[in-house]
Amino acid sequence: MAAGENLDFVPHRFWHTDSVYKSYVKLYIVDIVSLLDYPIGKGAFAYKNHPVYRVDILGWIVRVEERAKMFNYGVDDGTGVVNCCCWKPKGRDEPAAVNPDSSFREFVTDQVQTHQMQQLTCMELGDIIHVRGRLNRYRNRVEVSASYFRKVEDHSCKAEIYRMEELPNMYQNVYDRPFVLPSIVTSQLRLESEESESGVQREAHLVDRLCIHLRSQLGDPSNGFQNFFLRELETIEAVMEIASCPCLEYKQDSVGGKAPIRQIRNVIKQSVDRLDREGIVIRSGIDKEMFQVAQESLTSRLDKTILKILRADCQLPKYEKGCHYLHVMDRLHNLNPFQNISAQAVKLALDRLEEQSEVISTTFKHFIPFS
């Protein structure tokens, strides 16, 4: 079952219409290690023309390597071997004794860290391990960065047998069937193609083009972008060239073939709002119309501020089981320079901290700090 066949690949903006995308995909390991990068867009691999982001695997440990911050396990399901990176709890090299004077939050955090270390240190060659995680390419090799892992106590191998019975059905009914866009989306793409030939484009297409341009410009430190107002973008020739293209939605408002100012400002605003949701820019606390580029120094400051909020608030009885990310956003709105930060930017930061083992998600929307 070869991955990455020559099929009709789908633009990134339509990946969400595929049930496989961002679900934990249960593939044979031989298919996982042969996955290719998705040809259109970043952040996923291609099985057939399905964008694959995360996987769920079950297999035997055939290799164990301990490093300073992680354990590397070679996991074999009988079809191939893939490397799984299981991270140690941050700042914890060995299980610690329970402190009877600690708060409930500290007790829960300590127990989670201890359990994780016990899970890591008890695994040996020949054990069955269940791993869920994100796919990465390291040194031209696909591997799994685990967000969840556990040793499976199954001496009769029932879990493995069930998995091998389940996978053929998954392949036949889901994975081997091509990813086909809904009819409403294909109609939209056909219209866009016809409009492109006539020189008139849809607003959504202009927003996509401007986002691509802004990502490349804001991601290059040599351009000197640190913060900007929305109106400032109207003075940049490349931005105006895209935002002022003939647009179907504003065709009635154009005068003398020139794009109306409402079109230009709406296209720019929608593009920057999308970058805000993606975490590329952050709305400034000084002015709602001002944005800061999410450079490493700013994201590091945001991460540290969120951790400080969680450590303080999770000691309160009301938040012992975790703080809702909207509560974290409300607390940030009282702090400079995050007075206008969006909910999506906060959620992205919390997901980033969870990947770094700094916080734990107690529910999909609630988080507590590790320490």
Side-chain angles (χ1 to χ4, degrees):
M1 301 176 193
E5 291 181 1
N6 186 21
L7 298 169
D8 292 330
F9 293 101
V10 177
H12 181 276
R13 59 187 169 128
F14 299 119
W15 285 359
H16 67 279
T17 62
D18 185 7
S19 60
V20 173
Y21 180 58
K22 282 197 173 180
S23 63
Y24 287 100
V25 185
K26 297 178 179 180
L27 292 172
Y28 293 115
I29 288 177
V30 66
D31 289 329
I32 293 174
V33 297
S34 61
L35 289 173
L36 302 176
D37 294 327
Y38 206 85
I40 305 176
K42 294 182 179 179
F45 294 82
Y47 179 80
K48 307 294 184 180
N49 67 334
H50 293 284
V52 176
Y53 174 59
R54 297 183 288 193
V55 293
D56 180 311
I57 60 176
L58 185 74
W60 286 272
I61 296 175
V62 295
R63 187 184 68 254
V64 179
E65 297 176 359
E66 182 176 5
R67 297 186 180 177
K69 295 183 179 180
M70 72 181 88
F71 277 85
N72 278 335
Y73 296 114
V75 180
D76 185 346
D77 69 346
T79 69
V81 180
V82 67
N83 187 59
C84 297
C85 303
C86 298
W87 299 91
K88 295 179 181 179
K90 202 152 189 174
R92 174 68 62 83
D93 292 325
E94 59 183 20
V98 177
N99 180 2
D101 297 325
S102 63
S103 67
F104 176 75
R105 180 189 64 82
E106 291 170 337
F107 172 76
V108 171
T109 301
D110 185 80
Q111 291 302 298
V112 170
Q113 289 182 328
T114 301
H115 177 69
Q116 279 196 331
M117 281 303 299
Q118 288 173 344
Q119 282 281 316
L120 284 167
T121 54
C122 76
M123 293 189 196
E124 300 175 345
L125 293 174
D127 287 338
I128 299 176
I129 185 173
H130 181 205
V131 179
R132 286 180 174 177
R134 178 178 179 174
L135 289 173
N136 295 310
R137 187 176 294 282
Y138 178 68
R139 294 182 177 176
N140 205 31
R141 181 181 65 180
V142 178
E143 63 180 20
V144 180
S145 180
S147 56
Y148 163 86
F149 55 89
R150 71 179 179 91
K151 178 180 177 181
V152 179
E153 299 290 351
D154 184 16
H155 301 294
S156 61
C157 297
K158 288 183 179 179
E160 273 286 311
I161 294 170
Y162 178 79
R163 174 63 64 99
M164 287 304 172
E165 290 176 344
E166 176 188 28
L167 286 181
N169 291 326
M170 295 295 292
Y171 272 85
Q172 182 179 355
N173 296 320
V174 183
Y175 306 145
D176 284 341
R177 292 189 176 185
F179 172 22
V180 179
L181 289 171
S183 57
I184 188 170
V185 176
T186 55
S187 299
Q188 179 185 341
L189 287 173
R190 187 166 53 253
L191 280 173
E192 288 179 3
S193 176
E194 293 170 357
E195 290 155 8
S196 179
E197 292 175 2
S198 66
V200 179
Q201 301 177 46
R202 282 190 171 274
E203 183 180 37
H205 188 215
L206 295 181
V207 172
D208 287 342
R209 287 178 57 197
L210 186 54
C211 281
I212 292 170
H213 173 75
L214 290 175
R215 283 191 201 102
S216 65
Q217 295 299 307
L218 298 176
D220 186 356
S222 64
N223 289 325
F225 273 108
Q226 291 187 347
N227 52 60
F228 60 89
F229 286 93
L230 284 177
R231 295 289 175 89
E232 285 183 305
L233 296 179
E234 296 175 23
T235 65
I236 300 174
E237 184 178 348
V239 172
M240 289 297 293
E241 184 179 340
I242 297 172
S244 61
C245 285
C247 182
L248 183 66
E249 285 84 353
Y250 300 93
K251 194 173 181 179
Q252 301 296 328
D253 298 336
S254 62
V255 179
K258 291 185 177 181
I261 191 66
R262 186 167 68 92
Q263 169 193 323
I264 294 169
R265 290 178 177 171
N266 282 349
V267 169
I268 291 174
K269 185 177 185 303
Q270 289 181 52
S271 301
V272 175
D273 284 345
R274 184 185 296 181
L275 298 183
D276 182 24
R277 293 194 298 272
E278 293 174 357
I280 295 172
V281 298
I282 295 176
R283 200 177 292 270
S284 171
I286 300 172
D287 191 308
K288 287 187 177 181
E289 296 294 307
M290 182 178 179
F291 292 82
Q292 295 177 280
V293 180
Q295 297 172 336
E296 186 177 352
S297 58
L298 183 62
T299 55
S300 176
R301 183 177 177 184
L302 173 61
D303 292 352
K304 289 177 181 177
T305 305
I306 290 176
L307 279 173
K308 187 176 179 181
I309 291 170
L310 289 177
R311 286 168 181 156
D313 289 7
C314 286
Q315 293 186 32
L316 303 174
K318 183 178 179 180
Y319 302 111
E320 280 187 343
K321 295 182 179 179
C323 292
H324 196 286
Y325 75 95
L326 292 179
H327 167 76
V328 177
M329 181 188 72
D330 290 339
R331 294 275 278 109
L332 285 168
H333 284 172
N334 297 318
L335 301 172
N336 186 45
F338 306 116
Q339 288 94 330
N340 297 309
I341 194 168
S342 66
Q344 186 63 30
V346 175
K347 189 66 168 59
L348 284 171
L350 285 164
D351 290 342
R352 182 169 61 247
L353 288 168
E354 186 172 22
E355 286 184 2
Q356 297 168 0
S357 297
E358 294 279 9
V359 303
I360 312 166
S361 55
T362 53
T363 71
F364 181 68
K365 298 178 180 179
H366 293 79
F367 297 83
I368 61 173
F370 256 130
S371 57

